[in-house]
Amino acid sequence: MAKYSTGGGGGGDDGDACELCGRETTNLQRATVAGAKLLVCSDCRPHDDAGNAPDSRGGSGSGGGGGSPGGASAESSGPESRKKELARKQAKMYDSVTGDSKHWEEGGTSYESDRLPYLVSGYGDDVSAARQDAGLTVEELADELGVDEDDVFAVEDGRAATAGVGGSVVRALEERLGVEIVDE
């Protein structure tokens, strides 16, 4: 069974077993694996984070798995490939966080051209009541104004800002229904 160390041991009294795989041997060397300082066998030495493991990847050596679990024979990629993989993952995460803003810079936005004004509290109920007083359905009002029905529904539900309703729709509703819902 593998014995794990916190790195506090002084050396010789740590036993004759690899602290990573548990293999019994007298040829143990100090290595830092995943931040822990361990005494490891020659098969586990390539897992040293410091990258100063002797190159035991070649043909001579103890040859194959011995008692290491999961075939911990030295990987051909070693610590260097872990660094490259970490760098690749960090770059991928950076790209996903920063996003691609080129399409916004080139095409611009339409926020300023039809900006939603500040609306009074309870504007949705006011619009709904005025529409019903005028004897119109949402569909009829939207057709008359030439706007999308979903925009009229969003205004009546009080979701104009989150639904992306433009200021022109709000002003058209104000004018047609005779209500003041813009807070200026």
Side-chain angles (χ1 to χ4, degrees):
M1 176 176 288
K3 176 178 108 178
Y4 296 97
S5 169
T6 59
D13 60 353
D14 286 327
D16 290 336
C18 174
E19 294 180 330
L20 190 59
C21 71
R23 185 176 127 205
E24 297 280 333
T25 182
T26 57
N27 185 16
L28 297 174
Q29 296 174 326
R30 179 80 52 197
T32 303
V33 179
K37 295 182 187 216
L38 306 173
L39 289 174
V40 296
C41 65
S42 59
D43 288 340
C44 294
R45 184 79 174 134
H47 297 291
D48 186 357
D49 292 341
N52 57 5
D55 192 10
S56 62
R57 299 175 203 153
S60 66
S62 58
S68 65
S73 62
E75 300 170 6
S76 62
S77 50
E80 184 62 31
S81 73
R82 283 187 268 167
K83 290 179 185 176
K84 287 180 183 177
E85 181 181 354
L86 178 60
R88 187 172 39 253
K89 287 181 180 178
Q90 286 175 334
K92 185 177 180 181
M93 189 167 41
Y94 176 78
D95 289 344
S96 69
V97 168
T98 58
D100 179 21
S101 62
K102 288 181 183 174
H103 65 280
W104 296 112
E105 293 167 1
E106 293 169 2
T109 62
S110 62
Y111 299 133
E112 293 302 314
S113 63
D114 194 19
R115 210 170 92 202
L116 182 67
Y118 290 106
L119 302 173
V120 298
S121 179
Y123 67 90
D125 294 333
D126 294 345
V127 170
S128 181
R131 176 187 54 81
Q132 290 171 3
D133 289 346
L136 297 168
T137 65
V138 171
E139 294 81 14
E140 292 169 341
L141 180 59
D143 284 342
E144 183 180 322
L145 297 176
V147 299
D148 193 347
E149 291 177 26
D150 291 338
D151 287 346
V152 176
F153 277 121
V155 170
E156 288 190 3
D157 287 343
R159 311 179 281 110
T162 58
V165 175
S168 60
V169 173
V170 170
R171 300 222 188 266
L173 288 169
E174 267 191 326
E175 186 177 324
R176 169 59 181 93
L177 298 174
V179 295
E180 289 190 28
I181 58 172
V182 174
D183 185 23
E184 292 185 294

